[in-house]
Amino acid sequence: MKRNLFLLALPAIFILTLLSGCNTKTKIGFLMDTTSLERWKKDKELFEKTAKGLGAIPIVRVADSDPNTQYKQAVELINEGIDVLVIIPVDLVKSCEIVKAAHAEDIPVISYDRLIKQCNVDYYISTDNINIGELQADYLSKVSPVGNYALISGPTTDNNTFLLHLGWLNILQPLIDKGDINIVIDKFSNFWLPDESYQLMKEYFKSGGKVDAIITGNDALATGAIMALKEFGYDGKVLVAGQDADINAVRNIVAGIQTITIYKPIESLIFAAVDAAIKIADGHAPSNLNITVNNGKKLVPAILLKAQVVTRQNIKMTVISEGFITEKELN
Ligand code: GAL
């Protein structure tokens, strides 16, 4: 009789086993600021591909740079039952509300690329952004150790903006103190987009200003500055640094109107984030944590990867050999 009951129960056991098998897939929420810039499109694609490849379920939302939208999207994902949240915060402090909401449901939070400040975020995965600022300033100041420099930062809602600026000054301050370098512009933008840097440089040139080097927070800001340089016939005569290795920026480097960009290893960063998310969901600590970073509230365990300078000379050895950009795309 017992044996018969067992046989009768077999289909149910089979179905339950299948269902519990489905449940073991980790659901990873990925909250993005924007996909309007090329680099974030790459992050999105790679996140979805990598998460699926590692057997997890990616759920992505894009806030279009609105912190309130990002909060609402976080609540949606929490209600959808995500196990871990990876977030590119729109706002470095407002996103603490998201961390609190996730923690209320025992969902760990990984701050991706940009650090969330002043709260108990669980992990941080990014590049060494102070070092990126140093790489930019070091390269330009070696080429032009004397002259007028313009510094164009991104928004103050992004912690990376401050880290980059710190890196720039780490290198430039001694030269400023010597009187060799003169900072003629030092401005933040509201968005990581070209318009404001274009207007800023245009007004500066209109008023008769001269500049030898422009260091910007990303390639979109660099592109805006280059638009103004073109209008005044200064393109190719002024050093320009950007960041992200956007295809347009790399083309400008080939054309000799942008000096450098910075290549962040996005594939490795995304892999690190997805891998960490899966490990945390399984109750383990992420592997490859290599530093802790103070966010004003705690020392956040972090993985910081190295970025590289891309120049006209090393395009093949960097972005092309890494498969980030193809030669075909460049032509
Ligand atoms: C920053 C990031 C930069 C750039 C920028 C534009 O946070 O560090 O690499 O992508 O956002 O969105």
Side-chain angles (χ1 to χ4, degrees):
M1 181 64 183
K2 257 190 188 163
R3 192 181 147 81
N4 284 347
L5 271 179
F6 176 73
L7 286 178
L8 277 175
L10 259 184
I13 292 171
F14 180 66
I15 289 167
L16 281 174
T17 312
L18 268 187
L19 284 177
S20 69
C22 293
N23 284 341
T24 59
K25 278 200 169 191
T26 304
K27 273 191 184 176
I28 315 172
F30 191 41
L31 288 178
M32 303 190 71
D33 169 10
T34 175
T35 44
S36 73
L37 293 167
E38 194 180 303
R39 74 145 290 188
W40 298 118
K41 289 195 181 96
K42 286 203 165 115
D43 286 272
K44 181 172 183 288
E45 262 175 45
L46 284 165
F47 182 85
E48 284 167 339
K49 193 172 129 199
T50 311
K52 283 179 194 155
L54 294 180
I57 303 171
I59 312 179
V60 183
R61 295 282 186 284
V62 184
D64 295 327
S65 300
D66 178 354
N68 299 324
T69 304
Q70 192 165 58
Y71 182 79
K72 281 185 204 138
Q73 292 176 335
V75 174
E76 265 170 51
L77 294 194
I78 292 167
N79 291 338
E80 278 190 42
I82 53 165
D83 298 294
V84 187
L85 179 62
V86 180
I87 168 171
I88 300 148
V90 174
D91 186 294
L92 76 169
V93 177
K94 283 188 188 156
S95 46
C96 277
E97 293 307 313
I98 294 177
V99 176
K100 282 182 203 150
H103 281 178
E105 298 300 324
D106 291 328
I107 298 166
V109 181
I110 301 174
S111 210
Y112 179 77
D113 192 281
R114 304 174 182 167
L115 182 61
I116 300 176
K117 299 288 293 262
Q118 317 288 359
C119 56
N120 279 318
V121 64
D122 297 279
Y123 297 99
Y124 172 46
I125 296 178
S126 186
T127 36
D128 181 343
N129 291 290
I130 299 180
N131 180 246
I132 290 178
E134 290 171 345
L135 290 173
Q136 291 175 305
D138 188 58
Y139 194 93
L140 295 205
S141 64
K142 289 226 163 80
V143 181
S144 181
V146 175
N148 284 352
Y149 272 60
L151 307 180
I152 310 181
S153 294
T156 54
T157 45
D158 184 336
N159 188 52
N160 290 341
T161 294
F162 302 107
L163 301 180
L164 290 174
H165 197 270
L166 204 67
W168 297 342
L169 290 187
N170 281 349
I171 301 295
L172 299 180
Q173 197 59 53
L175 300 164
I176 298 168
D177 293 344
K178 271 203 322 191
D180 289 351
I181 284 182
N182 187 20
I183 304 293
V184 291
I185 292 177
D186 189 0
K187 285 257 161 44
F188 294 101
S189 312
N190 291 307
F191 300 98
W192 287 105
L193 297 172
D195 317 8
E196 287 167 82
S197 58
Y198 166 66
Q199 292 299 340
L200 187 67
M201 292 316 300
K202 191 167 118 175
E203 291 311 314
Y204 179 69
F205 294 139
K206 257 194 194 164
S207 66
K210 296 267 181 283
V211 75
D212 299 289
I214 306 173
I215 310 184
T216 68
N218 79 343
D219 284 336
L221 294 170
T223 301
I226 291 168
M227 275 154 60
L229 290 173
K230 277 187 180 162
E231 260 181 47
F232 288 82
Y234 298 143
D235 50 316
K237 297 177 188 142
V238 171
L239 306 177
V240 180
Q243 174 181 210
D244 283 344
D246 286 349
I247 185 74
N248 175 53
V250 180
R251 284 193 188 121
N252 283 345
I253 292 176
V254 173
I257 54 176
Q258 180 166 332
T259 320
I260 58 163
T261 184
I262 297 289
Y263 163 60
K264 288 186 177 188
I266 294 184
E267 204 168 337
S268 307
L269 286 163
I270 285 290
F271 182 84
V274 174
D275 182 58
I278 293 172
K279 291 221 165 75
I280 302 164
D282 287 347
H284 306 296
S287 33
N288 303 328
L289 292 168
N290 58 5
I291 198 162
T292 53
V293 178
N294 193 334
N295 79 338
K297 172 83 177 177
K298 67 180 267 200
L299 289 176
V300 185
I303 299 174
L304 293 191
L305 302 183
K306 281 253 169 251
Q308 276 176 282
V309 174
V310 180
T311 65
R312 206 172 177 185
Q313 288 72 33
N314 75 1
I315 291 174
K316 278 204 177 144
M317 278 141 42
T318 54
V319 279
I320 292 185
S321 75
E322 295 265 335
F324 191 73
I325 283 177
T326 62
E327 277 197 73
K328 214 171 146 201
E329 278 175 305
L330 267 188
N331 299 319

